[in-house]
Amino acid sequence: FVETESEYEFTPSTISALVAGLQSTERDERVAALANLSTRLEQPSHELRAYVESGSCMDVISKVLAASDAEATLQALWCLTNIAGGEPRMAERALEAAPAVVSLAESQSVDLQNQAIWALGNMAAEGECARNQLYANGAVDAIVNVVKSTQDSGVLQTACFALSNLARKPSSFFANLFDLCVPQAVAQQLREFESDAECVAELAWVCVYLSASSSEAQIDALLASGAVGLLVEFAAKSSVGSATLIPIIRTLGNVAAGTDAQTHALASNPQFVTLLVRSIESTSSRAVEKEALWVLSSVTAGTADDVDIMVRAGVVSDLARIVGTQNFDIRKEAARSLLNIAIVGHRTQDLPNRELAPHFVDFVACQDEELVRMGVQFVALLFEHLPNRQGQKILSQIVGAIDVLENLVAVTSDDETRSLVSALIDDYYADLSL
């Protein structure tokens, strides 16, 4: 553990001086001490952590929150925000002030409201127990009301941050977010703040958590609210940066992983298709490209009609390029979509198989078990679906390909893989005219 400069300077005597300032009868001295404390809490020393965890720190902050001095209250909220964002034992102490902070989240003062919501958002990030306590304290209702009603972009962004943390799973109250019409509130604010990329990004993160591993009915509610369509419409603009695109595309991925009808609701939207293709072709953001490939793998796992839509959009050439040139994690996502196109779309013969085959053989030789299975599956598709033993001929033209398969039989511990590869090898040698 390396001490920072602030930790080195913060000694037990500094604690004593700080406590004296917090307990001063002079109002200005107390406010200055709170401001000093909030700054120190950004990188708390061992002594300061002990003061928060087992000293009088939370009692002092609670008294300030109960008073009516706006400046002191703001500094106390800053302290709570940093405490809640600290180590678990510190964050647990911050929850003691949750009822007072929830009340301040509905303050008429924008500064107090924003800081109170930020503190609640940090508290919610601590885990399920913290979220349940905040729910019991009324934090969810308060923050949802802010998301619905605020016209301040800064407050909206902070409220969405807090709501995203409250919407994390596991959750005992997740369904209540739909009862409170959160998707509709998000859609309304997307319309109000459509020209503010930062607001759109935070609203999109709310959608990410509303759609993550959610029920069919909940995804349907999100789609029906119009929020997903508005996100697609916003992202279709060519000037959208990756910080905004990532939560939008991740939301789309969560929806695409749902039912076939939900996937088709996306695939049948031309703006969605254009966005997905553009994101896959992105050279400026590896993260955007990877997220988009994940979405595409879900779309192509759906129905043959959806596969046809994506093939007509030209994704095959992009996927072939990625499988041949990118890092293995990106190649894996592209390979998954190519296999889906072949299997779900019955399009093995339409793929650039001579170009793809060497790359899938490389997968068979790698150390990643999932990639190995993908490589074997592709070879099996070539053998089964290409006429006139073209698949076997393609494999024979790849130097060392049959050796790779034979080596896999010798080293794999997966009985199913060994059996399939052995059958492929027997099929390969069945016609010595190759």
Side-chain angles (χ1 to χ4, degrees):
F1 177 74
V2 179
E3 291 187 334
T4 65
E5 183 178 354
S6 63
E7 289 173 326
Y8 178 79
E9 293 176 345
F10 205 82
T11 63
S13 62
T14 312
I15 285 280
S16 299
L18 180 61
V19 172
L22 292 171
Q23 296 175 344
S24 172
T25 57
E26 295 294 326
R27 181 260 182 196
D28 289 349
E29 289 184 11
R30 291 196 304 273
V31 172
L34 284 165
N36 184 28
L37 175 61
S38 69
T39 300
R40 298 286 190 174
L41 284 166
E42 293 175 6
Q43 291 182 318
S45 66
H46 173 75
E47 290 82 8
L48 185 53
R49 288 194 294 269
Y51 174 56
V52 172
E53 293 166 14
S54 55
S56 61
C57 181
M58 286 306 304
D59 291 335
V60 171
I61 289 175
S62 295
K63 288 177 182 177
V64 174
L65 295 179
S68 57
D69 186 325
E71 186 180 1
T73 299
L74 182 61
Q75 292 301 331
L77 287 171
W78 266 112
C79 292
L80 273 176
T81 302
N82 291 336
I83 291 171
E87 295 181 357
R89 283 186 296 176
M90 288 176 60
E92 186 176 345
R93 291 300 309 269
L95 283 166
E96 296 171 15
V101 181
V102 169
S103 296
L104 288 165
E106 297 178 296
S107 171
Q108 295 302 305
S109 164
V110 170
D111 289 341
L112 290 178
Q113 181 184 49
N114 192 63
Q115 200 60 49
I117 294 171
W118 190 351
L120 292 172
N122 280 359
M123 293 178 195
E126 277 307 302
E128 183 181 8
C129 290
R131 292 192 291 273
N132 286 340
Q133 182 174 333
L134 290 169
Y135 177 71
N137 292 144
V140 172
D141 285 350
I143 291 173
V144 169
N145 286 337
V146 173
V147 171
K148 288 179 177 179
S149 62
T150 187
Q151 294 300 304
D152 184 282
S153 62
V155 171
L156 178 61
Q157 290 172 49
T158 307
C160 287
F161 156 73
L163 186 54
S164 293
N165 282 344
L166 286 165
R168 291 173 184 263
K169 295 173 181 172
S171 169
S172 63
F173 57 83
F174 183 78
N176 294 56
L177 299 176
F178 291 84
D179 295 336
L180 292 169
C181 299
V182 171
Q184 291 85 342
V186 169
Q188 177 59 35
Q189 293 291 42
L190 282 170
R191 295 184 186 97
E192 292 290 332
F193 290 89
E194 62 180 351
S195 61
D196 189 322
E198 292 180 339
C199 285
V200 171
E202 292 299 337
L203 287 161
W205 278 114
V206 175
C207 290
V208 169
Y209 290 102
L210 289 177
S211 58
S213 303
S214 297
S215 70
E216 179 180 348
Q218 289 164 345
I219 297 293
D220 282 342
L222 185 61
L223 287 168
S225 74
V228 175
L230 289 166
L231 289 176
V232 171
E233 185 178 329
F234 182 89
K237 302 172 184 176
S238 60
S239 59
V240 178
S242 60
T244 306
L245 277 177
I246 286 173
I248 292 175
I249 295 174
R250 192 167 300 177
T251 296
L252 299 176
N254 289 341
V255 174
T259 65
D260 285 347
Q262 290 164 346
T263 305
H264 186 67
L266 295 178
S268 58
N269 181 344
Q271 285 186 313
F272 166 81
V273 176
T274 299
L275 167 64
L276 199 55
V277 172
R278 192 182 76 220
S279 299
I280 289 168
E281 293 174 346
S282 172
T283 56
S284 60
S285 173
R286 183 176 181 275
V288 168
E289 181 184 31
K290 189 171 182 178
E291 293 277 352
L293 286 168
W294 171 60
V295 179
L296 181 61
S297 69
S298 292
V299 173
T300 54
T303 66
D305 287 343
D306 291 339
V307 169
D308 289 345
I309 290 171
M310 300 314 303
V311 169
R312 287 196 296 271
V315 298
V316 170
S317 59
D318 290 318
L319 293 172
R321 170 184 56 79
I322 292 167
V323 162
T325 60
Q326 295 280 36
N327 293 332
F328 271 112
D329 60 333
I330 299 285
R331 293 170 71 185
K332 182 189 292 186
E333 296 298 332
R336 189 174 286 114
S337 288
L338 285 166
L339 289 171
N340 288 341
I341 289 169
I343 297 167
V344 178
H346 309 290
R347 285 177 170 272
T348 302
Q349 295 185 42
D350 298 333
L351 297 179
N353 292 307
R354 291 187 182 279
E355 176 186 352
L356 293 173
H359 306 309
F360 277 91
V361 169
D362 286 345
F363 292 167
V364 177
C366 78
Q367 300 300 310
D368 185 305
E369 291 184 3
E370 186 178 7
L371 277 174
V372 169
R373 287 193 294 271
M374 287 182 175
V376 171
Q377 189 176 21
F378 183 79
V379 173
L381 287 169
L382 296 184
F383 280 24
E384 181 178 355
H385 293 290
L386 296 189
N388 304 319
R389 296 182 63 83
Q390 289 178 18
Q392 290 84 342
K393 292 175 183 176
I394 289 173
L395 193 71
S396 72
Q397 293 166 3
I398 302 171
V399 176
I402 194 65
D403 296 332
V404 169
L405 292 177
E406 290 175 339
N407 182 66
L408 180 59
V409 171
V411 302
T412 184
S413 59
D414 186 293
D415 292 339
E416 185 177 346
T417 298
R418 183 185 300 107
S419 176
L420 174 57
V421 176
S422 295
L424 292 173
I425 293 171
D426 290 344
D427 188 1
Y428 176 84
Y429 283 117
D431 186 350
L432 297 180
S433 66
L434 290 173

